[in-house]
Amino acid sequence: MKKTLSFNKGFLPCAIISLVLIIAGVVGFFTKGINFGIDYKPGHIEEIRIATPVADLSYTGDAKVTVDISSTKLDVVISGASVTNETKTFDFVTYPTVQSLASAMNQIQGVKMNVTNGSFDASRLFMNSAVTNQLSETVTYLYPLGASTVSIDEVRGALAGVESISIKQLGDGVDVSYQIRVGVSEGGEQASVLNSINDKLYSKFGKANVAIVKTDFIGSSSSKSNTIKSVIMFALTLLLIWVYAAIRFHWDFALGSIVALLHDTCIMIAFICWSQLEFSATVLAAVLTIIGYSINATVVILDRVRYNLKYMPEAKNFNEILNKALSDTLLRSILTTVTTLFAVVSLYVFTTGAIKDFALAMIVGLISGMYSSIFISSGFISLCRKNWKPEFGVHHSAKTAAKDTE
């Protein structure tokens, strides 16, 4: 027969520990605050690559000439009143290297393509998104993917002194880019933020060597809207879970499950405050995912408690029923959490950027979720039913069921 552990002895100590952690989280909230990401505050986001150009393009003439590059081809669109409108396509199967591409491009009247690394793979070229793709006498650079030798520490050093900035590495090895996020104050000028960042990068690495992959900006109204929607979504999630648990079980069971979920949320917020983990939409997704995992573990335990209420007529108090239910489901709770942790820890170790933040939040939440399902939710229900007494009907139905199985 499986041994029944006295989990009820840990209810009060665990409640005290959780209370201390939550109070620490409140202190962290008011002293350090939440490090809101660009989704929740006005700010600018920019992704850059730093590499030496392998070629440059220029055009002298009266036509309008634009260049578009994909992973399979380069298109040159020629238009204007004094020329024949046409599109010339150079696929990278026919022109696999920068040198072969340049030889073909230089056949276009007025177009000049100078090459500094002719052997580079033409299919791995890209352009600076911050520069117009319309050619002129001013050169337009073509950059190589997978040719960076700059470290994230060098990028951070170049942008030292910029307030409210966050820099993350995307990718690894030579095929790397850097995501730069910087908050702006209410009414702040986006252009000044961009200029400040880019001027520092140009000064450190050279203007020709800095290519902007993409830029984005979130205004104050959008960030406030995201915050309000996130709060509403979280509140609705808790409400729906409470309704489900109340219908399936009992009001105190449902309230116990909500207490566990609020506990997990407070623990994660405390961790986010003290670690200054950036609170982004990805981290919010981790919080909501943990709510799902936690309620799943809690429902399994509550289902076993409901079962034991019918088939433990010998129980003298409600803690005996809780201890039996928790002992029966302990191995399942541990294995479910540990196996999920294997995957999440792998994500944390082998990824970067937003996925790494997601994994870190998940690790904390999974551990907290298992703990709260066993001790916090059960402890709250135990408190609500401290005066519980077995009913005759339960004894009678259980004995009848036992006789029927003999």
Side-chain angles (χ1 to χ4, degrees), residues 343-364:
V344 176
V345 170
S346 297
L347 282 176
Y348 179 75
V349 173
F350 297 109
T351 63
T352 59
I355 298 299
K356 193 178 187 74
D357 290 346
F358 173 84
L360 181 58
M362 283 287 293
I363 290 171
V364 175

Side-chain angles (χ1 to χ4, degrees), residues 86-162:
E86 60 179 325
T87 299
K88 294 182 178 293
T89 298
F90 303 90
D91 67 88
F92 298 139
V93 174
T94 306
Y95 307 99
T97 66
V98 173
Q99 186 60 62
S100 61
L101 180 63
S103 298
M105 290 282 289
N106 287 330
Q107 300 301 313
I108 302 174
Q109 185 176 358
V111 174
K112 180 64 176 177
M113 182 170 175
N114 296 312
V115 176
T116 55
N117 184 354
S119 62
F120 192 82
D121 185 354
S123 66
R124 293 181 62 77
L125 293 175
F126 72 98
M127 298 173 65
N128 188 341
S129 66
V131 177
T132 178
N133 64 344
Q134 182 176 338
L135 301 184
S136 65
E137 294 182 6
T138 303
V139 297
T140 298
Y141 294 107
L142 298 180
Y143 294 91
L145 281 172
S148 177
T149 58
V150 174
S151 69
I152 190 170
D153 290 333
E154 291 177 279
V155 177
R156 285 174 175 156
L159 298 176
V162 180

Side-chain angles (χ1 to χ4, degrees), residues 183-247:
V184 297
S185 59
E186 197 73 29
E189 291 289 336
Q190 179 188 3
S192 64
V193 175
L194 288 171
N195 291 337
S196 175
I197 292 173
N198 293 336
D199 286 346
K200 287 178 179 291
L201 292 172
Y202 297 155
S203 175
K204 174 69 175 180
F205 305 109
K207 187 172 183 178
N209 297 328
V210 178
I212 298 171
V213 179
K214 61 181 180 181
T215 60
D216 198 4
F217 182 79
I218 295 182
S220 58
S221 59
S222 178
S223 61
K224 288 178 182 177
S225 175
N226 288 340
T227 303
I228 293 171
K229 288 178 181 177
S230 297
V231 172
I232 293 174
M233 179 170 57
F234 179 75
L236 285 175
T237 300
L238 291 183
L239 176 63
L240 291 174
I241 289 173
W242 182 85
V243 171
Y244 163 77
I247 293 173

Side-chain angles (χ1 to χ4, degrees), residues 293 335-345 362 366:
Y293 270 97
L335 289 178
T336 301
T337 302
V338 170
T339 51
T340 307
L341 275 173
F342 286 152
V344 176
V345 170
M362 283 287 293
L366 284 169

Side-chain angles (χ1 to χ4, degrees), residues 29-48:
F29 179 82
F30 286 105
T31 57
K32 300 176 75 68
I34 297 177
N35 180 23
F36 285 107
I38 196 73
D39 299 320
Y40 298 99
K41 65 181 181 182
H44 166 73
I45 181 171
E46 180 173 83
E47 183 181 344
I48 65 164

Side-chain angles (χ1 to χ4, degrees), residues 272-290:
I272 289 168
C273 288
W274 284 105
S275 67
Q276 285 296 283
L277 180 71
E278 184 180 80
F279 189 84
S280 61
T282 306
V283 173
L284 175 63
V287 173
L288 294 177
T289 303
I290 289 305

Side-chain angles (χ1 to χ4, degrees), residues 312-378:
M312 286 184 64
E314 73 281 1
K316 297 178 181 179
N317 56 65
F318 196 74
N319 280 339
E320 289 186 25
I321 294 174
L322 275 176
N323 288 335
K324 182 66 168 64
L326 291 169
S327 298
D328 290 343
T329 58
L330 179 62
L331 184 60
R332 180 193 182 281
S333 298
I334 293 175
L335 289 178
T336 301
T337 302
V338 170
T339 51
T340 307
L341 275 173
F342 286 152
V344 176
V345 170
S346 297
L347 282 176
Y348 179 75
V349 173
F350 297 109
T351 63
T352 59
I355 298 299
K356 193 178 187 74
D357 290 346
F358 173 84
L360 181 58
M362 283 287 293
I363 290 171
V364 175
L366 284 169
I367 296 172
S368 174
M370 180 179 68
Y371 161 82
S372 67
S373 295
I374 295 173
F375 292 104
I376 303 304
S377 176
S378 300

